[in-house]
Amino acid sequence: MTHNQFDKKSEAWSALFSEPMSDLVKRYTASVFFDKRLWQADIAGSLAHAQMLAAQNIISAADRDAIERGLAAVAAEIEAGQFEWKLDLEDVHLNIEARLTQLVGDAGKRLHTGRSRNDQVATDVRLWLRGEIDLIGGLLADLQRALLDVAEKNADAILPGFTHLQVAQPISFGHHLLAYVEMFSRDGERMSEVRQRTNRLPLGAAALAGTSYPLDREHVARTLGMVDDQGRPQLCQNSLDAVSDRDFAVEFSAAAALCMVHISRFSEELVLWMSQNFGFVRIADRFTTGSSIMPQKKNPDVPELARGKTGRVVGHLMGLLTLMKGQPLAYNKDNQEDKEPLFDSVDTLKDTLRIFCEMVGGQLNPASGLKEGGISVNTQRMEDAARKGYATATDLADYLVRRGLAFRDAHEIVAQAVKAAIAQELDLSDLPLEVLQQFSPRIDQDVYQVLGLRGALEARDILGGTAPRQVRAQIARHRARLG
Ligand code: ARG
């Protein structure tokens, strides 16, 4: 049996060391129990590296074949849950390489030629994150589709639009949901931009300075799909930057945090809308919980938790920025701390998007082929709330402007009319014509068309406006965009 450095690893790192690591230091410095989730990326990166090494005649074809065979066996063991992850071997990279060498002998020891764990880990994290970004992009599209379904059903439903959480003007509930579709579509754009900068190859940078072996970096990039839309290989162009930069992770975390902030705002609205005081919407019972003491309660736990979890994703962004701020070039062990925040942001965002897709759009009933149990709307409650809030006061002012008054004068006149209506606990549209005419003789019978909620809604028939016709046009545009 040839001498294997990994057999000695539990004692000391190499011949250079006079004593082994203490158990405490081992536990402190090891990352295997969280970075093992990179195993697929690690094996993909090693396979691409080995194939290139053989193509460049740096290792033999026989060694390459042995490495391929060994890594396939390692992958099978991991998938079957039979792989023994060892703390002594510090991280996912050393664990896999050690097992490979156990399985195939000397060929395994040649795999690391021209490579360092520094460019290896940077490659693994990029490959892994690329896959996650693709999943997140799909979930963002699903959530937009779910919102579009509910928006379409409710294009004509009237909701009081708020500013300062005070009733402002009537809007379509569909229009309100489309605001979130816009946000999530930009989140999707941001994710694909982050993907482009994530999908670049560090391998070849080795420890920090590049390598003296004649590696074909483009070959590796092509094998790993690290190419642009024209199929051109995307390589990190500076070895120091390649091993030490984590700005793709920071950018991803920023995009994830912003997406969670959008979800959090939506959650806050759902919580408000579901409260007895609003009573605008319902979500399916399975997204709510009861109270252990108050039998009447149905609490919107899912939106509340999503709002709460936004805090940790925003926190991870701050954590990663702080992790980077004092590091000299090139690789430092600090970088190992990039993983847990990144992993947790990915997990939290994916889970949240998944649960929101179902909570908003409902779940497919295989029997009927229809989605059931999404957001349902109490249009009467919403419309009543809009009516109570004098949501058409602006429309009365605009009416007076059309009849020759300056807007500021019209504004003042309408304020007086609203004051009178409040005193009598009436809506503007309940005031008789004679009463309205006391505020301005320019008011005629046709004023009641603009004082009605529906007329006010339909009047805002401008691109981006709330008129149901515009809402339907936007829904069609989004559907075409999402395909
Ligand atoms: N586990 C390490 C990390 O996550 C891998 C790179 C280790 N490199 C080193 N020079 N110690 O960053």
Side-chain angles (χ1 to χ4, degrees):
M1 175 88 188
T2 47
H3 169 72
N4 183 348
Q5 88 166 95
F6 297 110
D7 298 337
K8 279 185 62 191
K9 179 70 197 315
S10 57
E11 296 154 29
W13 247 104
S14 72
L16 187 64
F17 292 75
S18 57
E19 59 173 4
M21 269 186 187
S22 79
D23 282 346
L24 182 59
V25 173
K26 249 187 238 167
R27 253 189 295 121
Y28 193 73
T29 56
S31 54
V32 62
F33 291 113
F34 53 86
D35 68 15
K36 65 182 177 189
R37 79 152 83 183
L38 296 174
W39 71 268
Q40 275 169 315
D42 194 69
I43 288 179
S46 289
L47 285 171
H49 182 66
Q51 284 155 9
M52 178 277 295
L53 289 177
Q56 298 294 100
N57 291 318
I58 301 168
I59 62 171
S60 68
D63 280 344
R64 178 203 56 210
D65 293 347
I67 289 169
E68 285 179 351
R69 208 174 348 103
L71 286 175
V74 171
E77 286 179 8
I78 297 174
E79 243 155 25
Q82 283 158 0
F83 189 89
E84 197 194 336
W85 297 101
K86 294 186 183 141
L87 184 77
D88 267 354
L89 291 172
E90 195 176 310
D91 58 24
V92 60
H93 323 291
L94 294 181
N95 267 271
I96 290 178
E97 192 185 334
R99 180 69 184 133
L100 172 71
T101 301
Q102 248 177 18
L103 289 170
V104 304
D106 282 355
K109 293 194 207 165
R110 297 203 176 93
L111 169 62
H112 212 50
T113 311
R115 186 177 78 168
S116 151
R117 271 189 302 157
N118 298 351
D119 56 348
Q120 184 179 1
V121 69
T123 303
D124 289 4
V125 177
R126 284 170 181 268
L127 281 177
W128 172 83
L129 186 59
R130 182 183 73 183
E132 297 297 323
I133 288 173
D134 290 342
L135 293 175
I136 289 166
L139 290 169
L140 277 167
D142 288 347
L143 179 55
Q144 291 174 65
R145 288 192 191 97
L147 285 163
L148 288 173
D149 289 346
V150 184
E152 189 157 44
K153 271 189 223 138
N154 294 286
D156 293 299
I158 292 175
L159 170 83
F162 298 102
T163 61
H164 314 270
L165 205 56
Q166 308 286 315
V167 172
Q169 292 176 351
I171 56 172
S172 140
F173 186 65
H175 189 59
H176 195 103
L177 294 183
L178 287 184
Y180 286 102
V181 174
E182 293 288 337
M183 291 177 235
F184 295 127
S185 95
R186 288 195 299 277
D187 289 328
E189 283 171 27
R190 261 184 288 276
M191 286 294 168
S192 33
E193 284 156 20
V194 174
R195 187 192 197 280
Q196 285 171 31
R197 283 183 290 276
T198 299
N199 199 27
R200 293 178 186 166
L201 181 76
L203 279 178
L208 76 163
T211 174
S212 54
Y213 294 97
L215 304 189
D216 182 349
R217 298 188 63 208
E218 296 197 350
H219 181 292
V220 178
R222 276 202 204 87
T223 311
L224 294 174
M226 288 179 143
V227 294
D228 67 10
D229 8 340
Q230 269 112 58
R232 287 181 302 226
Q234 298 293 292
L235 308 177
C236 297
Q237 298 285 330
N238 177 292
S239 60
L240 298 167
D241 180 49
V243 293
S244 66
D245 156 63
R246 293 293 181 271
D247 65 13
F248 64 94
V250 172
E251 267 192 87
F252 169 82
S253 304
L258 192 45
C259 182
M260 285 299 293
V261 166
H262 292 152
I263 288 183
S264 186
R265 296 188 72 179
F266 185 41
S267 298
E268 170 64 9
E269 297 202 313
L270 288 174
V271 170
L272 284 174
W273 290 343
M274 287 170 65
S275 78
Q276 285 77 4
N277 299 326
F278 284 77
F280 291 176
V281 304
R282 274 179 43 94
I283 57 176
D285 281 356
R286 62 182 179 283
F287 298 101
T288 65
T289 61
S291 155
S292 55
I293 173 167
M294 297 166 285
Q296 85 283 13
K297 296 274 278 183
K298 221 181 245 182
N299 297 326
D301 279 27
V302 167
E304 286 175 85
L305 254 183
R307 192 176 57 189
K309 283 176 189 289
T310 303
R312 65 204 263 174
V313 178
V314 171
H316 293 326
L317 170 62
M318 296 307 132
L320 284 178
L321 286 166
T322 312
L323 172 68
M324 299 315 293
K325 76 173 274 295
Q327 284 195 51
L329 295 180
Y331 177 87
N332 303 281
K333 186 77 168 179
D334 311 42
N335 279 341
Q336 183 165 291
E337 286 288 306
D338 64 352
K339 289 172 200 63
E340 286 161 293
L342 189 60
F343 294 169
D344 188 67
S345 289
V346 164
D347 292 345
T348 307
L349 181 58
K350 280 198 314 193
D351 284 351
T352 306
L353 288 170
R354 275 196 195 111
I355 206 160
F356 266 63
C357 285
E358 197 189 315
M359 188 177 71
V360 171
Q363 212 179 17
L364 194 68
N365 176 342
S368 66
L370 293 173
K371 284 207 167 174
E372 288 169 5
I375 289 180
S376 61
V377 177
N378 187 334
T379 46
Q380 194 57 52
R381 286 287 297 245
M382 291 195 316
E383 207 170 318
D384 289 349
R387 196 166 295 113
K388 273 191 213 121
Y390 301 95
T392 58
T394 316
D395 297 85
L396 178 55
D398 291 341
Y399 171 89
L400 290 169
V401 168
R402 284 196 298 277
R403 298 192 156 224
L405 270 190
F407 183 77
R408 279 288 157 235
D409 294 333
H411 186 279
E412 182 54 27
I413 285 170
V414 176
Q416 287 165 10
V418 169
K419 193 173 170 192
I422 291 174
Q424 299 173 56
E425 294 188 15
L426 291 173
D427 182 41
L428 280 177
S429 61
D430 297 329
L431 295 177
L433 186 59
E434 313 82 74
V435 175
L436 285 170
Q437 282 171 336
Q438 284 165 18
F439 298 104
S440 168
R442 298 175 199 238
I443 297 179
D444 270 331
Q445 186 62 38
D446 62 355
V447 76
Y448 290 102
Q449 279 154 31
V450 307
L451 289 181
L453 292 172
R454 186 136 320 264
L457 193 72
E458 273 157 13
R460 288 174 172 81
D461 192 3
I462 182 170
L463 183 106
T466 195
R469 202 176 75 87
Q470 294 290 341
V471 172
R472 293 204 170 82
Q474 290 290 336
I475 292 171
R477 181 180 68 81
H478 286 300
R479 287 209 200 281
R481 171 177 64 76
L482 288 165

